[in-house]
Amino acid sequence: KHSWILQQVNKPWKVVSIGQEIDVFGKRYPVRVVLSNKNVVQLQQECIVYTTSKISDEEIVKRLKQFLKKCLQEYITSIYDQVSSYTKVPNVKIRYRYMTSRFGVCYALKKEICLNTYLACFSKKAIHAVLCHEYAHFYQPNHSKKYYDVLYKMYPSYEKDMLELKYVVF
């Protein structure tokens, strides 16, 4: 298995982590903590965590995760009507949570999609592709040829836009 192991090691793995830097919609920003009279995270040329008192590294990560969730929710809200119209699946509830092994889950019977909050780290095209991937499960529950026929009809550039997510490690 030596050649297979070497092949896996040489893949362009992308590790999602939050710390001194953070990726938001595919762009990397340095993180800076600023003492202030407010508790908020803002994105400018850098990601600034404003805080009223000194906070631990764990608290910084917690606030950055909350910020990512808010960014993802706002983006999904902005495209929700458009995606619902061309997927022809109305009134789908979208939930968000941090997951360690997948980008999204479709609960077809509940008419619900759960998206991995870490998606906010990737480009909007990749997020759109994941959302359409989950929507396609309303028509076909498995990843059969029929499923991909539905998905590519719904989102023709799916494969290209998903490349960014190919070797991601959470």
Side-chain angles (χ1 to χ4, degrees):
K1 308 258 184 202
H2 179 73
S3 62
W4 180 85
I5 292 170
L6 286 176
Q7 207 176 22
Q8 299 308 307
V9 169
N10 291 325
K11 285 183 178 176
W13 296 104
K14 178 176 175 72
V15 178
V16 177
S17 64
I18 300 172
Q20 300 299 313
E21 294 181 321
I22 187 171
D23 292 331
V24 182
F25 296 131
K27 186 175 178 205
R28 181 153 291 182
Y29 296 89
V31 174
R32 186 164 57 103
V33 179
V34 174
L35 283 171
S36 168
N37 61 350
K38 56 187 174 182
N39 283 316
V40 69
V41 178
Q42 290 183 338
L43 201 58
Q44 297 163 357
Q45 297 300 91
E46 56 192 354
C47 185
I48 304 172
V49 180
Y50 291 100
T51 179
T52 57
S53 61
K54 187 169 171 39
I55 56 176
S56 67
D57 289 345
E58 292 81 21
E59 181 63 25
I60 293 168
V61 169
K62 181 180 172 185
R63 290 189 190 184
L64 291 172
K65 283 184 172 184
Q66 290 169 344
F67 176 72
L68 283 176
K69 183 176 182 178
K70 181 180 165 222
C71 289
L72 184 61
Q73 287 173 320
E74 288 173 359
Y75 176 64
I76 295 298
T77 299
S78 75
I79 65 169
Y80 181 83
D81 289 339
Q82 174 197 7
V83 173
S84 290
S85 70
Y86 68 75
T87 59
K88 301 192 180 8
V89 183
N91 304 320
V92 173
K93 181 179 180 190
I94 310 283
R95 290 187 311 114
Y96 307 88
R97 68 182 176 123
Y98 284 95
M99 295 185 258
T100 58
S101 62
R102 31 188 174 173
F103 297 111
V105 183
C106 176
Y107 301 102
L109 295 177
K110 293 185 189 178
K111 268 188 108 171
E112 185 176 282
I113 291 173
C114 185
L115 295 174
N116 189 335
T117 310
Y118 282 122
L119 280 173
C121 296
F122 302 99
S123 72
K124 290 180 178 180
K125 285 183 177 185
I127 296 167
H128 204 121
V130 170
L131 186 60
C132 288
H133 176 103
E134 298 310 329
Y135 262 94
H137 283 299
F138 288 112
Y139 294 98
Q140 191 68 34
N142 54 27
H143 291 114
S144 64
K145 182 183 179 330
K146 283 183 184 179
Y147 167 83
Y148 283 102
D149 290 344
V150 167
L151 179 58
Y152 287 122
K153 186 176 181 187
M154 193 184 299
Y155 195 77
S157 62
Y158 171 77
E159 195 168 331
K160 181 179 72 110
D161 292 347
M162 283 294 286
L163 280 177
E164 178 182 351
L165 304 176
K166 191 167 183 171
Y167 298 112
V168 172
V169 178
F170 298 104

